[in-house]
Amino acid sequence: MTLQFYGIPNCDTVKKARKWLDANGINYAFHDYKKEGADAAKVEAWIADKGVDVVLNKRGTTFRKLSDEEKASAADSHGAVTLLVQHPSMIKRPVVEHNGGILVGFKEDEWSAALL
C-alpha cells in the first residue's frame, strides 16, 4: 500500500510523520504544497470528510495575516477551499490519504490504528 502524503518538507510535524512512516516501513508518495500547489477538488473532499475546522490551520502566521474579510470567508467550505488553494500553507499538515480514508495532522495513536 502506498499512501498519498501532503505537506511541506520543512514543517516539524511533517518531518515527525515521515519519520514514523519510514520507521514502520510504510510507503508513501510525497506531495509538496510549496512546489506543486493544492488541488481544489482534493481540498474540497477533505473538507467534506473532516470539516473546515480540521483542515484549515487557523493558528499559523499565514491565516493570522489575512484580512478580517478573508478570515470570514473561510467559514463556509467554498470560501475555505478558495483560500486553501491560494495559500496551501494554511492546510493543517500533514494530510494523508489511505485506503480507509484520510488523516489530518499527526497523532501517533490515530495513525497506528489506521495504518498498522
Side-chain angles (χ1 to χ4, degrees):
M1 156 174 80
T2 298
L3 307 175
Q4 293 299 313
F5 185 107
Y6 300 86
I8 297 171
N10 62 346
C11 170
D12 288 339
T13 306
V14 168
K15 288 177 185 176
K16 280 188 233 175
R18 291 177 84 174
K19 186 176 178 179
W20 184 89
L21 289 170
D22 291 340
N24 285 285
I26 299 173
N27 294 324
Y28 60 92
F30 183 70
H31 179 101
D32 181 349
Y33 293 135
K34 292 288 189 185
K35 292 180 182 174
E36 302 173 66
D39 179 72
K42 286 205 176 287
V43 173
E44 188 172 3
W46 298 340
I47 289 173
D49 187 352
K50 297 294 184 180
V52 172
D53 291 336
V54 173
V55 178
L56 174 62
N57 178 11
K58 293 182 179 178
R59 295 182 352 180
T61 57
T62 305
F63 183 81
R64 292 194 310 255
K65 288 180 182 178
L66 295 176
S67 69
D68 289 341
E69 184 179 310
E70 288 173 309
K71 288 177 186 176
S73 75
D76 72 84
S77 60
H78 178 71
V81 169
T82 301
L83 275 175
L84 293 173
V85 169
Q86 289 173 341
H87 307 282
S89 59
M90 291 191 313
I91 299 171
K92 182 149 185 172
R93 300 179 296 268
V95 174
V96 170
E97 295 175 333
H98 61 96
N99 291 341
I102 67 167
L103 298 166
V104 180
F106 178 65
K107 295 180 182 132
E108 190 171 338
D109 57 339
E110 186 180 303
W111 282 43
S112 293
L115 302 176
L116 297 179

